[in-house]
Amino acid sequence: MKGKKQNVKSQTTVSKARARTAPDAATLPVGEIVIERPDDVTVVQLREEELGVTKQWAEAGAVLIRKKVETRTDTLPVELGYEEVSVQRVPVNRMLAEGESAEPRQEGDTLIVPVVEEEIVITKRSVVREELHVTKRRLTRQREVTGEVRREHLDVETTGKLEALQDRTSTQA
């Protein structure tokens, strides 16, 4: 009956039967409705269902991973730096003045190291006999360096339901 309201006679009483007794019945359980009319008593039971969910672990499959280490010998060119030193003896034979000292000095890329010798003459004096001129050059050359390098590989095996999952993920990638 859509849209129409149903009228109930004023003599009808609807109540929850918590502590109420009906004729020919003991105390009614909670959740029942008693409809009393002058001539009869009708009991309508209300029922409710509840959904219960339980979860448990189930094995879907297994994954086996193997790691392999592979060793190989690689050779690649490497630029090495080194220095060569050349030493020249340059005669000077210069007398040092009183109180003068001959100290090593730098002139460009050349380090000059004076070699001093003392002579005995009526007086003692310092004479620079020679100088060492030391020059450094920075050079490079190619060499091949050989050594062992390692690389790891993984093999993945699956069983059970995991194989289907792996097939789906590999086609999506």
Side-chain angles (χ1 to χ4, degrees):
M1 298 180 110
K2 276 187 169 177
K4 291 186 179 178
K5 291 185 178 178
Q6 187 176 9
N7 292 329
V8 179
K9 293 182 182 177
S10 60
Q11 296 173 348
T12 306
T13 307
V14 177
S15 66
K16 290 226 178 197
R18 291 189 187 266
R20 184 172 170 93
T21 57
D24 302 331
T27 302
L28 297 174
V30 175
E32 293 184 348
I33 297 177
V34 177
I35 301 175
E36 296 180 40
R37 293 197 179 132
D39 52 345
D40 64 345
V41 172
T42 304
V43 176
V44 178
Q45 291 186 348
L46 300 177
R47 298 184 185 217
E48 179 180 351
E49 292 183 343
E50 289 184 359
L51 183 61
V53 177
T54 60
K55 298 188 287 185
Q56 68 184 76
W57 286 97
E59 185 176 318
V63 175
L64 174 64
I65 299 174
R66 287 189 199 101
K67 182 167 94 170
K68 296 178 186 175
V69 176
E70 164 185 299
T71 302
R72 68 172 196 260
T73 302
D74 272 358
T75 301
L76 66 135
V78 176
E79 190 171 289
L80 302 174
Y82 66 97
E83 293 179 342
E84 284 184 351
V85 176
S86 68
V87 177
Q88 277 183 313
R89 292 178 171 260
V90 178
V92 175
N93 291 321
R94 181 177 67 84
M95 298 286 192
L96 294 176
E98 190 68 35
E100 179 186 5
S101 65
E103 298 293 326
R105 65 186 184 279
Q106 188 79 35
E107 291 182 5
D109 289 340
T110 303
L111 173 64
I112 300 174
V113 180
V115 178
V116 177
E117 174 183 284
E118 291 181 340
E119 290 183 343
I120 297 181
V121 183
I122 297 185
T123 61
K124 181 170 116 178
R125 61 184 170 184
S126 298
V127 177
V128 176
R129 290 289 177 208
E130 66 179 336
E131 293 178 334
L132 297 178
H133 291 220
V134 181
T135 306
K136 289 195 297 185
R137 294 184 297 157
R138 184 168 295 272
L139 305 169
T140 60
R141 65 176 160 215
Q142 293 288 326
R143 293 268 192 206
E144 289 191 352
V145 177
T146 302
E148 287 187 354
V149 292
R150 294 179 293 222
R151 187 170 85 192
E152 296 178 342
H153 295 282
L154 295 178
D155 291 331
V156 178
E157 293 179 19
T158 59
T159 60
K161 295 177 186 174
L162 292 179
E163 290 177 329
L165 289 174
Q166 186 180 12
D167 292 342
R168 276 190 272 155
T169 56
S170 63
T171 55
Q172 290 173 359

